Amino acid sequence: MEAVRLENVKFAYREGEGSYAVNGVTLSVEEGEFVAVLGRNGSGKSTLAKMINALLIPTEGRAIVFGLDTADEKNTFEIRKSAGMVFQNPDNQTVASIVEDDVAFGPENIGLPREEIGRRIGFALDAVGMSAFRSATPSRLSGGQKQRIAIAGVLAVLPKIMILDESTAMLDPKGRREVMDVVKKLNKERGMTVIFITHFMDEALEADRAVVMHRGETVMDGTPREIFSRSDELEMYGLALPRAAYISKKLAEGGMPVGGAFRAEDLAEEICASLQKA
Amino acid sequence: MLNDVIFGQYYPVRSFVHNMDPRAKILFVIAYIVAIFLADNFYALAAVTLFLIVAVLASRVPFGRVLRSVKMILFLIIFTAILNLFFYAGNELHVIWQWKFITLSWEAVINTVFLAFRLFLLVMGTSVLTLTTAPVPLTDGIESLLTPLKWIKFPVHELALIMSIALRFIPTLMDETNRIVAAQKARGANFETGGLIKRAKAVVPVLIPLLVSAFRRAEDLGDAMDARCYSGAKGRTKYKKLVFTWRDLVGALLLAALIAGVVLLNVYLGGKFAILDAFL
C-alpha cells in the first residue's frame, strides 16, 4: 500500500515571493519502505518532511498520507497519529522532566485510558532499549539516549510512518549508531515505513532507497548504490560520497583493482583480496 | 548549583510526609497558615510550633535543612521587626524608652516577637511542602486543585502545562547560559570585576542570545508537540493519577485538631498582651 504520495508539492515560507523552499516534488513512498532523503542545508528536505505530517500544508499540490489529504484540517489528527516525527535537537522535543511522563505525552493526547498508556510506555521504551530509564530525568541522559526517548515518545502513538528530520545531526558517532540501529530494527521487524532525512551519506547506505534533493527539487532517486555510483552528479548537488566509497573510487582511479565498495568493511575486504592476488 | 535549581529544594527521601498526596499537602499548608494567623497568644503559637516539629520529624528532613529556608528571608524578618519595635504605638503607661517620635513600649516588644515568631513558622511550614514534594507532583497538585476554576473558563490545563514545561527547561537553559557565558568570556567579556552597573551591563550579551535561543527552542517544541498529536486539553487523558491515602486522613485530622486547639487557647488564655497585666 502507498504510505505517502506527494503530488507536485510546492511550499513557500513567505507567500507571493515566488521563492519556493520545496518546488514541485512528486514522490511516492510504499508502506514498509526505508527512504533516506539527502541534500545539503537549505535544499528543502526538512520542509518536505514537515509537509508529510501536516505541520506545513503545501502551498501548491497535494500531500496524501494513507489516502488522507493533509490540506483538510479534519484529517490533521489522524495523519499525525499515523505519521510520527522525530526532530533534530533532542532537548527541544521533550515535554516532561521524567522519561515515562514524556513518552506518555502522545498517548495522553490521543485520549487513551491509563492502563493502555502504561502498556504503550513499556512497549515503546522496550523497542528503543531504554526500559531501564523509565523513571530517569532526560536532562541527565546522553544525546543518543535522549533521541531514543524521543523515538519512544513517537512510537507510543503507534504510527505507521516514522519521519526522522536530521535526528542524528547533533549526536556523536555512538549516539548516531544507537539511533540508526533502533530505526533499522523498527523497519525490519515491525515493517515501519521510515523517512530518514540526513546529510550523513553513510547513513543513507542503510536505506532501501535514497532521494537527493537540491534547491527544493528531487534530483536523484534510486537505491543508495545507484546514487553513489553517480559521484560526479552528487558533487554537483553539494554532497560527498561516503568516506569508504570515496577512497575506493580514488584507489580504482589509481589502478588498484577494487570496485564499488561503499562500506568501510567491504572496502577493507576488497583491498585485502587485491593485495593477496598481487 | 544546577541541581539546586532543577529540584528547587526538594529533599529526596521516603517518608510519611513525602508519600502524602500533593493536593492534600497544599491544602494542609493553607490550613496551617490559617492556624498561624488565628493564633492570638503565645500558647497558641506554641501549639503551632509543636505541630511543625511533628511534621518535620515525620518528613525525615533534617531540622537544619528546614531552618536554612529561613535564612533567605532573615533580612525581611529583621527589617519588619525593627520597624515594628519602634513604630508600634503601645500603651502610654508601658513606655520603656522614647526619643522624639520614636517610642519603645512593652506592647511593641511583645508584638515584634510575636510577628517574627509567626514569620518563622510561616516560612518553615511552607518549606516543608517544597522539601517533601518534587516539582512535577507539585504542579499536578496545583492543577488538580484549580480544576473548579475551569467553570469560569480559567485555562487550568494550559497553566499546568506551562509550569511543567518551564520546570523541564530550567536545566536546558542553565546549560545554555553556561555555554554563552563561556563563549562571551572567550571573546574577552568580563563578568567578575567592576561595579554593580558595569556587571549588570555585562549580563546583556548573555541575556540576548539566551532569549533568542529560548524562542527558537519554543518554536521547535511547539512543532514537536503538534507532531505528537497535541490539541489542547480536550479529549486528553492523564497517565498519572493522584490518590488520597490514609496518610492524608491522618494529616487532615491533625490539622483539624491544631486549628481547634488554637481557637480554644485563644479563647481561654486571652490575647498576646495578657502577660503584661500579670507583670506590670
Side-chain angles (χ1 to χ4, degrees):
Chain A
M1 190 186 169
E2 195 176 41
V4 178
R5 189 163 81 243
L6 302 176
E7 291 172 2
N8 195 26
V9 291
K10 292 185 181 183
F11 186 84
Y13 279 96
R14 261 162 298 186
E15 258 175 90
E17 263 187 32
S19 70
Y20 290 101
V22 169
N23 194 5
V25 168
T26 298
L27 190 71
S28 165
V29 177
E30 283 297 311
E31 202 173 354
E33 235 181 333
F34 187 154
V35 185
V37 179
L38 302 168
R40 59 196 289 186
N41 291 341
S43 60
K45 45 193 203 305
S46 283
T47 309
L48 191 78
K50 284 182 178 167
M51 283 196 282
I52 299 174
N53 74 344
L55 281 178
L56 297 176
I57 307 298
T59 319
E60 280 174 46
R62 293 204 306 163
I64 289 155
V65 179
F66 284 108
L68 298 173
D69 191 332
T70 61
D72 189 347
E73 242 174 73
K74 284 197 290 289
N75 294 336
T76 306
F77 198 70
E78 278 306 312
I79 287 170
R80 286 184 185 158
K81 249 164 68 176
S82 56
M85 187 154 173
V86 182
F87 296 83
Q88 183 176 28
N89 189 337
D91 280 327
N92 294 358
Q93 43 188 326
T94 327
V95 288
S97 322
I98 297 169
V99 167
E100 64 172 343
D101 292 352
D102 188 65
V103 178
F105 184 73
E108 285 177 334
N109 287 337
I110 57 175
L112 294 172
R114 280 187 59 221
E115 302 72 37
E116 177 62 17
I117 296 177
R119 271 197 293 278
R120 297 256 182 122
I121 296 172
F123 152 75
L125 286 178
D126 185 51
V128 300
M130 291 291 288
S131 297
F133 295 87
R134 191 162 172 153
S135 41
T137 305
S139 60
R140 303 264 170 94
L141 302 178
S142 75
Q145 288 173 325
K146 282 185 206 169
Q147 205 61 294
R148 275 148 71 197
I149 296 298
I151 294 175
V154 170
L155 216 50
V157 182
L158 300 183
K160 287 183 266 185
I161 309 171
M162 184 166 290
I163 308 159
L164 295 104
D165 185 6
E166 299 209 39
S167 302
T168 53
M170 295 181 76
L171 306 179
D172 58 14
K174 184 168 171 282
R176 267 160 59 192
R177 191 68 255 164
E178 286 170 14
V179 168
M180 187 43 111
D181 286 344
V182 164
V183 171
K184 264 177 79 177
K185 202 177 118 205
L186 288 172
N187 174 254
K188 294 282 167 310
E189 290 175 11
R190 303 191 173 273
M192 178 81 74
T193 311
V194 176
I195 299 175
F196 198 99
I197 292 163
T198 183
H199 55 244
F200 292 112
M201 297 299 123
D202 297 285
E203 289 178 341
L205 278 172
E206 319 258 3
D208 303 326
R209 177 178 163 197
V211 173
V212 176
M213 287 196 69
H214 184 65
R215 295 199 177 147
E217 287 169 40
T218 49
V219 285
M220 294 168 90
D221 187 346
T223 66
R225 293 190 157 265
E226 281 165 25
I227 301 278
F228 291 135
S229 57
R230 287 145 69 184
S231 60
D232 298 338
E233 233 177 299
L234 268 181
E235 216 164 290
M236 217 165 71
Y237 302 127
L239 297 172
L241 283 175
R243 177 77 21 199
Y246 180 75
I247 296 172
S248 150
K249 186 182 158 216
K250 286 292 168 196
L251 285 175
E253 279 171 14
M256 200 166 187
V258 289
F262 295 111
R263 280 173 228 269
E265 309 90 77
D266 300 346
L267 178 61
E269 262 175 46
E270 284 193 3
I271 293 175
C272 289
S274 77
L275 286 178
Q276 272 161 7
K277 255 184 264 167
Chain B
M1 174 170 105
L2 210 64
N3 285 352
D4 284 357
V5 177
I6 297 171
F7 296 109
Q9 40 170 2
Y10 182 61
Y11 190 82
V13 288
R14 296 186 68 85
S15 80
F16 184 85
V17 181
H18 282 76
N19 285 334
M20 282 173 140
D21 187 298
R23 290 170 298 180
K25 279 191 268 188
I26 295 168
L27 291 176
F28 293 165
V29 165
I30 294 170
Y32 169 85
I33 293 171
V34 169
I36 291 177
F37 284 98
L38 275 178
D40 199 30
N41 60 34
F42 284 97
Y43 305 102
L45 275 193
V48 177
T49 314
L50 184 71
F51 177 85
L52 178 70
I53 292 170
V54 171
V56 174
L57 285 176
S59 73
R60 294 181 53 207
V61 178
F63 274 94
R65 254 326 265 272
V66 185
L67 275 173
R68 216 192 287 170
S69 60
V70 178
K71 240 169 59 183
M72 287 188 287
I73 65 141
L74 201 59
F75 172 76
L76 185 77
I77 294 179
I78 294 171
F79 185 71
T80 45
I82 291 173
L83 282 183
N84 238 275
L85 204 53
F86 294 108
F87 293 100
Y88 184 84
N91 191 324
E92 281 157 33
L93 301 171
H94 298 154
V95 171
I96 307 167
W97 176 80
Q98 190 164 23
W99 179 74
K100 289 185 180 168
F101 58 91
I102 300 172
T103 46
L104 181 65
S105 68
W106 280 112
E107 274 88 356
V109 172
I110 287 182
N111 197 52
T112 304
V113 173
F114 204 78
L115 184 92
F117 201 174
R118 263 184 175 164
L119 283 174
F120 271 114
L121 289 176
L122 190 74
V123 174
M124 301 218 329
T126 43
S127 72
V128 171
L129 172 69
T130 47
L131 281 164
T132 61
T133 320
V136 175
L138 200 59
T139 45
D140 284 351
I142 294 171
E143 175 178 14
S144 171
L145 288 174
L146 290 179
T147 310
L149 290 183
K150 277 184 187 157
W151 279 66
I152 56 163
K153 300 262 157 82
F154 186 80
V156 176
H157 159 76
E158 284 77 3
L159 193 74
L161 189 71
I162 289 168
M163 280 196 290
S164 63
I165 288 177
L167 284 171
R168 131 90 192 83
F169 268 91
I170 287 170
T172 310
L173 291 178
M174 287 297 292
D175 283 351
E176 182 104 350
T177 311
N178 291 339
R179 257 202 307 278
I180 296 170
V181 167
Q184 303 291 29
K185 271 186 186 165
R187 296 177 202 171
N190 184 353
F191 297 103
E192 272 98 25
T193 61
L196 195 66
I197 292 172
K198 200 178 161 211
R199 280 200 206 184
K201 272 186 183 164
V203 174
V204 174
V206 175
L207 276 185
I208 288 172
L210 188 65
L211 207 64
V212 171
S213 115
F215 275 112
R216 194 173 307 132
R217 284 179 192 281
E219 216 176 303
D220 279 3
L221 185 72
D223 273 349
M225 285 169 67
D226 275 345
R228 285 164 78 182
C229 307
Y230 181 71
S231 51
K234 229 177 106 195
R236 199 167 188 273
T237 48
K238 269 193 97 68
Y239 172 53
K240 286 207 173 137
K241 213 171 166 185
L242 300 171
V243 273
F244 288 113
T245 61
W246 61 273
R247 294 183 187 85
D248 306 306
L249 185 66
V250 172
L253 290 175
L254 280 177
L255 265 153
L258 174 69
I259 290 180
V262 165
V263 170
L264 287 176
L265 289 170
N266 279 347
V267 171
Y268 288 104
L269 294 172
K272 58 189 162 186
F273 301 127
I275 18 171
L276 281 181
D277 301 331
F279 287 100
L280 300 170

